[in-house]
């Protein structure tokens, strides 16, 4: 069974710590970007998310959002948790990063 609770590390060194999931699949935790950001002063940022009921789906989907405290930016992560034949859990995730813009004419460059 694939549960997000615990600590996770990406291939790029980003870290995510997820608290215990609530009965309805909601969770909170913290996210810390990896060394690729080049900023050694970055502190963990709170995250909020939800996961499909792992009792109904053995390899559930999930999503979570990170609102960067000191910047007008939000990152949304969407993925699925897989359990390998050896029992190891792996997350496959896509993300979108959005920064606030001053006008609709700048909208084209706001999402990466």
């Amino acid at each position: 069974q694939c549960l997000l609770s615990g600590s996770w590390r990406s291939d790029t060194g980003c870290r995510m710590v997820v608290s215990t999931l609530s009965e309805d699949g909601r969770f909170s935790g913290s996210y810390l970007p990896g060394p690729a950001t080049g900023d050694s002063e970055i502190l963990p940022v709170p995250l909020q998310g939800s996961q499909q009921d792992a009792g109904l789906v053995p390899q559930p989907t999930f999503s979570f959002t990170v609102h960067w405290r000191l910047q007008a930016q939000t990152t949304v992560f969407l993925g699925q948790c897989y359990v390998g034949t050896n029992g190891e859990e792996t997350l496959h995730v896509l993300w979108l990063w959005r920064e606030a813009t001053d006008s609709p004419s700048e909208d084209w460059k706001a999402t990466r």
Side-chain angles (χ1 to χ4, degrees):
Q1 191 172 1
C2 208
L3 296 175
L4 291 179
S5 296
S7 182
W8 298 87
R9 181 180 299 272
S10 75
D11 294 341
T12 60
C14 298
R15 290 179 304 216
M16 174 177 76
V17 176
V18 175
S19 65
T20 304
L21 275 73
S22 67
E23 287 186 24
D24 64 357
R26 285 188 276 166
F27 60 88
S28 60
S30 62
Y31 180 82
L32 183 65
T37 62
D39 187 349
S40 61
E41 301 285 322
I42 293 181
L43 300 172
V45 181
L47 65 83
Q48 297 288 323
S50 64
Q51 177 182 349
Q52 243 181 327
D53 185 343
L56 298 175
V57 181
Q59 301 187 114
T61 60
F62 63 90
S63 64
F64 65 91
T65 304
V66 173
H67 297 284
W68 301 97
R69 288 185 222 140
L70 303 177
Q71 302 153 338
Q73 301 167 346
T74 300
T75 307
V76 178
F77 297 81
L78 177 66
Q80 187 167 359
C81 185
Y82 293 97
V83 180
T85 55
N86 61 356
E88 183 175 317
E89 298 170 331
T90 305
L91 305 182
H92 287 238
V93 182
L94 296 173
W95 56 270
L96 288 173
W97 176 76
R98 176 74 185 205
E99 67 179 323
T101 61
D102 294 328
S103 70
S105 65
E106 296 176 332
D107 187 65
W108 66 273
K109 66 178 183 178
T111 303
R112 298 178 192 168

